[in-house]
Amino acid sequence: MHHINGKTTIGRFKENFTSGGLLFVDRDRQPSMPAQLETASDDDFFAQLERLVPGISSAERLAYSSSSSRVLLPDGLPAFNGTPSRHYWLRLATDIDQDSIRLALTVAAGAADLMFTATDKHGKKRLNRTVLDLSVYSTEREIFDSPPAVNAPLQCAKGDYQISNLGGGSVIIEPAWAGAIQSHAKRTKTTITRSGAGSFTGRVDNVLTLQTELETANGIITVKQWLDSGQQKTRIQSPFRIESKSFAAFIDRTEIGCFVFDSGTNETYFLEKEAPADDFKTCFESLASVSVLSTITDSAAIKSDLAQAMEKASAFADEINAQPDTLPAPSAQREFVLPAAIKDCLVLIERLRIPFR
């Protein structure tokens, strides 16, 4: 807490927090959740979570009504959710930082078929989601379990808490190992990296587009309109979290495009400028004339496959000429996002280069 020019300012920073030894579980109900993932009771929900954290269903837990679920309409029905949401608290057997918890549960959810795709708040994109809210695993995240302030005709329901499995002990969360992280990245197209400070971040490509709508303090604009306006770093609502109302994201420019960073999930969504089609054509022309093609005499099948793959790749270059604003392009700063035909070219040339590897 700081007193600056007569005003009291409170900052929430990771370095000001230490683990309290508790695991928070926020049950996340979404309209696009598959029917087979919907659960009726707390026990059913935690039986499902066994696929993420073995032993969690029998561990001691405290359940409590979330603040938003306590807001009722005049007829007594929930104002925000068709089914009241719940918060759960459990003890952790060992200290583990929130970033590690989020990564471990994210990877486990994908491996256990508890991850599904949901549309964004504009109904235009498909995003990776699971049965519990993973965005809460941020060190400085605030969790509200207090009585909400409501005005008539709305009503405030009484908080409903319940302790289950008294004496059932704590839960163990296993870290997500490198192999599991790579498998998750391949499955979800999200690249997860760990910074020098130890926090995990995700990179998402091919989701942010020029047509993505951004909710700013001055209204809604598309990414293209924001780029054309010349604006710099701008605070926005997260366009890829349906429930976000906290303006916990921003859009900013890079040398080759722009990106949206969502602090709630530590994910960055990139949109990068298109590479000229001539760059592709030059690449494929050089591949066609590479001397290695004439140095291997017993690889006719590989040469034939390569010729076909290069023909498809050249057609892809023509498509880029025809639709420069809609197709993904490679960047010098990340792995190429290329169609299978182009990847086939590279694989086949490597086989020609070292045929007996």
Side-chain angles (χ1 to χ4, degrees):
M1 183 179 296
H2 304 273
H3 302 285
I4 303 172
N5 296 329
K7 294 183 178 180
T8 301
T9 302
I10 299 175
R12 290 184 287 121
F13 303 98
K14 292 183 186 295
E15 57 266 28
N16 299 129
F17 289 81
T18 56
S19 172
L22 295 174
L23 173 67
F24 172 67
V25 176
D26 185 6
R27 192 171 181 180
D28 197 11
R29 291 181 170 90
Q30 296 188 46
S32 51
M33 181 181 290
Q36 69 269 20
L37 297 183
E38 273 287 0
T39 50
S41 67
D42 284 4
D43 287 342
D44 291 339
F45 175 62
F46 275 86
Q48 188 180 59
L49 293 188
E50 279 285 325
R51 290 147 64 182
L52 297 183
V53 184
I56 194 171
S57 63
S58 58
E60 188 175 64
R61 67 175 181 264
L62 167 68
Y64 197 73
S65 307
S66 67
S67 295
S68 60
S69 72
R70 295 173 63 180
V71 181
L72 304 180
L73 298 172
D75 58 7
L77 294 176
F80 294 110
N81 301 297
T83 305
S85 58
R86 300 274 274 172
H87 288 171
Y88 310 90
W89 301 89
L90 303 95
R91 291 189 179 92
L92 284 168
T94 56
D95 254 354
I96 180 171
D97 65 83
Q98 295 296 304
D99 280 320
S100 295
I101 289 175
R102 183 176 67 249
L103 180 61
L105 293 181
T106 299
V107 172
D113 292 326
L114 290 180
M115 189 166 279
F116 59 93
T117 53
T119 56
D120 64 17
K121 62 179 65 178
H122 306 295
K124 295 183 178 180
K125 287 294 174 186
R126 309 289 291 176
L127 308 167
N128 297 314
R129 291 293 179 264
T130 187
V131 294
L132 71 165
D133 186 356
L134 296 173
S135 69
V136 302
Y137 300 111
S138 176
T139 303
E140 70 276 32
R141 178 70 175 252
E142 285 186 327
I143 308 299
F144 295 97
D145 283 309
S146 56
V150 299
N151 297 317
L154 296 176
Q155 307 173 55
C156 177
K158 184 180 179 180
D160 174 28
Y161 75 88
Q162 180 182 3
I163 295 176
S164 302
N165 304 328
L166 191 61
S170 53
V171 296
I172 298 174
I173 295 183
E174 298 289 349
W177 301 110
I181 295 172
Q182 292 172 2
S183 175
H184 171 79
K186 183 177 181 180
R187 181 171 54 250
T188 63
K189 311 304 181 188
T190 301
T191 303
I192 299 174
T193 57
R194 187 163 193 166
S195 70
S199 62
F200 292 96
T201 59
R203 175 179 179 128
V204 186
D205 295 296
N206 302 322
V207 171
L208 186 67
T209 70
L210 291 174
Q211 289 72 44
T212 298
E213 293 180 334
L214 307 173
E215 184 177 348
T216 72
N218 298 317
I220 295 177
I221 60 174
T222 65
V223 171
K224 186 177 188 307
Q225 290 171 329
W226 180 84
L227 287 168
D228 292 344
S229 71
Q231 295 180 59
Q232 299 301 312
K233 182 178 179 180
T234 304
R235 180 70 60 178
I236 60 173
Q237 294 279 26
S238 171
F240 305 120
R241 277 194 294 139
I242 301 169
E243 73 285 356
S244 179
K245 300 290 188 295
S246 57
F247 279 87
F250 64 84
I251 184 170
D252 203 356
R253 298 172 183 268
T254 68
E255 292 183 358
I256 54 174
C258 65
F259 67 92
V260 166
F261 174 72
D262 182 353
S263 62
T265 60
N266 265 22
E267 288 181 329
T268 307
Y269 300 81
F270 281 88
L271 174 64
E272 296 176 341
K273 294 178 182 178
E274 304 299 330
D278 286 347
D279 288 356
F280 286 97
K281 289 185 175 179
T282 301
C283 171
F284 301 132
E285 287 172 359
S286 63
L287 289 179
S289 61
V290 69
S291 60
V292 71
L293 295 181
S294 59
T295 61
I296 307 295
T297 58
D298 58 351
S299 55
I302 295 180
K303 289 181 181 179
S304 175
D305 290 343
L306 178 59
Q308 293 181 35
M310 289 173 60
E311 185 176 347
K312 293 178 182 177
S314 181
F316 175 72
D318 292 337
E319 286 185 52
I320 290 183
N321 272 337
Q323 301 175 329
D325 294 331
T326 59
L327 293 175
S331 157
Q333 298 183 10
R334 65 181 174 89
E335 181 184 358
F336 283 2
V337 180
L338 300 175
I342 301 177
K343 290 184 178 179
D344 287 347
C345 286
L346 304 178
V347 171
L348 290 166
I349 283 191
E350 183 64 17
R351 286 175 59 192
L352 284 171
R353 214 179 285 276
I354 310 176
F356 304 111
R357 172 179 292 179

